[in-house]
Amino acid sequence: MRYRFSRAVLAAGVAFLATVPAHATDLEVTHWWTSGGEAAAVAEFAKAFDATGNKWVDGAIAGSGDTARPVMISRITGGDPMGATQFNHGRQAEELVQEGLMRDFTELAAKENWTGLINPPTLLQNCTLDGKIYCVPVNIHSWQWIWLSNKAFADAGVPVPKNWDEFVAAGPALEKAGKIPLAMGKQAWQQSGALNVLMAAIVGPETFLKVYKDKSADVAGGPEIAKVFKAADDARKLAAKSNVQNWNEATAMVIGGQAGGQIMGDWAQGEFQVAGQVAGKDYTCLPGLGLNAVIATGGDAFYFPKLDDPEKSKAQEALASVLMSKEAQVAFNLKKGSLPVRGDVDLTTANDCMKKGLEILAAGKTMQWTDELISPDTTQQMNDLMSEFFSTPSLTAEAAQARFAEIIGAAD
């Protein structure tokens, strides 16, 4: 469902804010970064903010963004706002901004020249509504990767695949060796994410945008997307015995050599790093599934609810500035596995997989992603469909595609 806010709720929120006692420079920051790699990364932001004399009060919410976002939104609309909160930049906080609940950082952005620093420009555009800037993008996270266990393929006696087609072909050998070919958590966002990664890889950005940007039901129901649903059917067969829930549990299967690979965003790199694994030696990464080396310029951003507390408001500005600083950008993104939003930072210490992403970004092979193109309501419908598809073998690829085309035709 979409998040609609009544005037009564907003009025209650304003009344509550007036009674909140000030805690000077303590600033609660909510996010859903709770895996090992994520926790190591967010600690870099906290350390940099604390160095300003303020205090980062960590408000991590266990689970995925799908779990955390309703909690965050409920707090903001219910009169219990945090100092700052993570969202994916795009449309997730659109209605909160429209209702006047979020701070405008246009002045700070102009003072610090964010327009000149942030690359690509779409990152800042995704924080902009009616010409005003309402969030601070902190990374470029791309979904379009498959992570492969070199050990699993060595145990199976087959070469590490160079693309998705070779990966599918290696499935029987992996199963014979006692491996799960494709590790995948049983959460809807992971399953719909896999479909979208397959779409970008198999039919390319142009067709992807015809579906999600132009909302073409004809394309969504056509022969090109039929290839994508055929690949999704292959993926669910390869993942049939993957009995984990969370994405990082699936990543751990790849790290341990119990699974051949995982379709997951570049945030998986943080887990490999925490485990002491080396890109190119212990694991292999294929951007665009080895078929179409493009990355989406989605990612994470921080939004700042309006607070009726001058000290906390100053702390919000200090945090926004820290998030955009060179030092924090490098420290955070090296541990997160994502790319920095600043185009002027030194990443010579990046690992092989991050360097692949940087090369793709430098070549301009980027695309918009679903967070930017469809509403939370449409996203939820997609998640529900793909959850059913991956858990119901009797739901054919053809029937699922027909329902997918209906969702796209009605999308906003």
Side-chain angles (χ1 to χ4, degrees):
M1 68 181 236
R2 299 197 66 181
Y3 301 102
R4 300 292 183 188
F5 315 127
S6 72
R7 297 295 173 185
V9 169
L10 295 179
V14 171
F16 181 93
L17 288 176
T19 66
V20 174
H23 292 292
T25 56
D26 283 7
L27 200 70
E28 182 190 8
V29 184
T30 55
H31 58 87
W32 56 83
W33 289 325
T34 56
S35 75
E38 291 173 327
V42 76
E44 294 294 338
F45 277 156
K47 182 169 63 177
F49 181 61
D50 288 353
T52 68
N54 296 295
K55 174 68 174 174
W56 175 293
V57 179
D58 201 70
I61 300 174
S64 67
D66 287 347
T67 301
R69 279 188 294 271
V71 176
M72 296 164 173
I73 290 170
S74 178
R75 283 190 55 185
I76 295 167
T77 59
D80 182 25
M82 61 297 291
T85 188
Q86 173 196 7
F87 284 107
N88 299 121
H89 43 71
R91 298 186 60 183
Q92 290 177 356
E94 186 176 73
E95 292 187 16
L96 293 169
V97 172
Q98 290 172 338
E99 293 290 349
L101 296 172
M102 310 304 275
R103 283 195 64 177
D104 168 9
F105 275 93
T106 308
E107 186 175 336
L108 181 64
K111 178 182 176 182
E112 297 187 351
N113 189 31
W114 293 1
T115 301
L117 296 174
I118 294 175
N119 181 54
T122 52
L123 297 172
L124 196 57
Q125 291 168 12
N126 288 334
C127 286
T128 304
L129 188 67
D130 297 330
K132 296 181 179 180
I133 296 170
Y134 289 94
C135 69
V136 183
V138 296
N139 60 14
I140 302 169
H141 256 324
S142 52
W143 247 105
Q144 301 74 34
W145 300 80
I146 187 167
W147 308 89
L148 306 173
S149 167
N150 290 2
K151 180 182 186 301
F153 288 96
D155 290 348
V158 293
V160 176
K162 295 182 176 63
N163 57 49
W164 172 255
D165 297 330
E166 292 183 8
F167 178 79
V168 174
L174 288 166
E175 290 180 327
K176 186 176 180 180
K179 312 292 182 182
I180 293 171
L182 183 63
M184 183 179 292
K186 295 184 180 297
Q187 292 174 328
W189 70 269
Q190 296 179 58
Q191 295 156 343
S192 62
L195 175 79
N196 290 330
V197 172
L198 288 164
M199 189 183 304
I202 292 169
V203 301
E206 183 177 348
T207 300
F208 184 96
L209 291 175
K210 286 180 181 177
V211 172
Y212 284 114
K213 186 175 184 178
D214 299 340
K215 314 293 192 298
S216 173
D218 290 340
V219 174
E224 289 296 290
I225 304 303
K227 299 175 187 176
V228 177
F229 273 87
K230 167 60 173 65
D233 186 40
D234 290 335
R236 73 172 168 179
K237 291 172 182 174
L238 294 169
K241 295 181 180 179
S242 179
N243 294 315
V244 295
Q245 191 73 10
N246 298 310
W247 71 268
N248 53 308
E249 293 173 313
T251 307
M253 293 168 65
V254 179
I255 291 171
Q258 291 89 33
Q262 178 191 24
I263 296 173
M264 187 50 57
D266 55 10
W267 48 90
Q269 285 195 77
E271 303 305 298
F272 286 98
Q273 290 182 82
V274 167
Q277 294 216 330
V278 178
K281 176 186 175 184
D282 301 305
Y283 67 99
T284 296
C285 55
L286 299 177
L289 308 187
L291 299 174
N292 202 333
V294 297
I295 61 173
T297 52
D300 300 296
F302 279 92
Y303 288 77
F304 298 80
K306 289 181 178 178
L307 302 177
D308 189 19
D309 184 320
E311 293 301 318
K312 287 186 182 293
S313 295
K314 289 179 183 177
Q316 286 179 320
E317 293 174 12
L319 177 56
S321 187
V322 163
L323 295 173
M324 276 297 299
S325 69
K326 277 188 178 183
E327 297 78 11
Q329 277 283 301
V330 171
F332 171 80
N333 284 294
L334 284 177
K335 290 189 176 179
K336 189 70 164 65
S338 48
L339 304 180
V341 300
R342 289 183 66 132
D344 63 344
V345 297
D346 181 6
L347 284 175
T348 54
T349 58
N351 67 29
D352 287 349
C353 291
M354 186 179 288
K355 286 177 179 176
K356 287 182 181 180
L358 289 168
E359 289 169 2
I360 295 168
L361 181 63
K365 295 180 179 179
T366 62
M367 61 182 291
Q368 290 178 288
W369 202 239
T370 54
D371 292 328
E372 306 167 65
L373 301 170
I374 58 176
S375 70
D377 182 43
T378 300
T379 298
Q380 186 60 54
Q381 292 178 56
M382 275 283 303
N383 288 351
D384 291 344
L385 171 61
M386 295 315 298
S387 177
E388 182 181 352
F389 179 73
F390 271 85
S391 63
T392 312
S394 61
L395 177 56
T396 66
E398 293 79 11
Q401 183 187 359
R403 288 171 55 181
F404 173 71
E406 290 178 1
I407 292 171
I408 294 301
D412 56 355

